[in-house]
Amino acid sequence: LGLSGPPGAGKSTFIECFGKMLTERGHKVSVLAVDPSSSTSGGSLLGDKTRMTELSRDMNAYIRPSPTRGTLGGVTRTTNEAILLCEGGGYDVVVVETVGVGQSEFAVADMVDMFVLLLPPAGGDELQGIKRGIIEMADLVAINKADGDLIVPARRIQAEYISAMKLLRKRSKVWRPKV
């Protein structure tokens, strides 16, 4: 599963909840979290693991943060190989969290069985992503944080994306992207 979305969409929180649900059902889950690297120092915070405290303590889960080191597309140069190693190591679910910073971070879509775009319900021009790139690659668009005062905006954004997705060329003959 590849997961991308803008900063603050709740990618790490979603992965922790989803990962815990899977491990409770007997799955072994591997999370490959990709963080951007500084163009100045080359360093990276690798902070996604700190946002998944419960999952990081789960014996049936493995979390590996990695820096992009300048690789474009939202993944690292070795993400594909890391997925294969996790599968070979007995992890039956591998989640790749991309850096998730824009419309072109979708290289992971060609590495995974399903590519999910996670969006917050209130982020400005909601159809900005439809202009190019990432929305065309999504197998599933999930509107996150859809509770409390954000229920109505979340439903509005869902309706906008459902309409917008109808305008896109289909990538598969057997799967229609869902919102």
Side-chain angles (χ1 to χ4, degrees):
L1 175 74
L3 183 72
S4 191
K11 295 180 297 292
S12 296
T13 303
F14 173 84
I15 290 170
E16 178 164 63
C17 293
F18 184 61
K20 288 296 293 175
M21 180 197 73
L22 290 170
T23 60
E24 288 168 4
R25 293 181 180 183
H27 293 279
K28 287 188 71 178
V29 177
S30 175
V31 178
L32 303 173
V34 182
D35 283 330
S37 297
S38 166
S39 59
T40 305
S41 68
S44 186
L45 291 176
L46 304 177
D48 289 318
K49 188 172 182 175
T50 63
R51 288 192 216 104
M52 301 180 214
T53 53
E54 287 183 44
L55 190 60
S56 68
R57 286 187 241 128
D58 191 316
M59 295 304 293
N60 288 315
Y62 169 73
I63 302 172
R64 171 72 176 145
S66 299
T68 58
R69 292 192 180 110
T71 302
L72 299 177
V75 293
T76 71
R77 185 177 50 82
T78 58
T79 297
N80 203 41
E81 290 83 355
I83 291 170
L84 295 173
L85 286 170
C86 291
E87 290 172 341
Y91 293 93
D92 58 328
V93 178
V94 179
V95 179
V96 180
E97 178 185 358
T98 74
V99 295
V101 292
Q103 297 172 342
S104 62
E105 281 69 35
F106 55 79
V108 73
D110 291 329
M111 301 176 188
V112 296
D113 296 319
M114 176 171 263
F115 178 51
V116 178
L117 176 60
L118 194 66
L119 298 173
D125 179 7
E126 303 308 335
L127 290 176
Q128 182 177 347
I130 200 68
K131 294 176 187 169
R132 61 174 103 67
I134 199 165
I135 192 68
E136 295 173 327
M137 303 304 290
D139 297 307
L140 178 69
V141 176
I143 311 301
N144 201 21
K145 301 180 180 184
D147 58 356
D149 293 341
L150 296 175
I151 292 173
V152 172
R155 288 192 178 138
R156 185 184 76 250
I157 291 162
Q158 178 189 23
E160 289 175 5
Y161 270 91
I162 288 170
S163 294
M165 298 287 274
K166 292 176 185 174
L167 302 174
L168 300 175
R169 195 175 89 208
K170 295 178 185 131
R171 288 182 53 218
S172 168
K173 293 180 182 182
V174 295
W175 177 257
R176 294 186 64 89
K178 309 287 183 210
V179 180

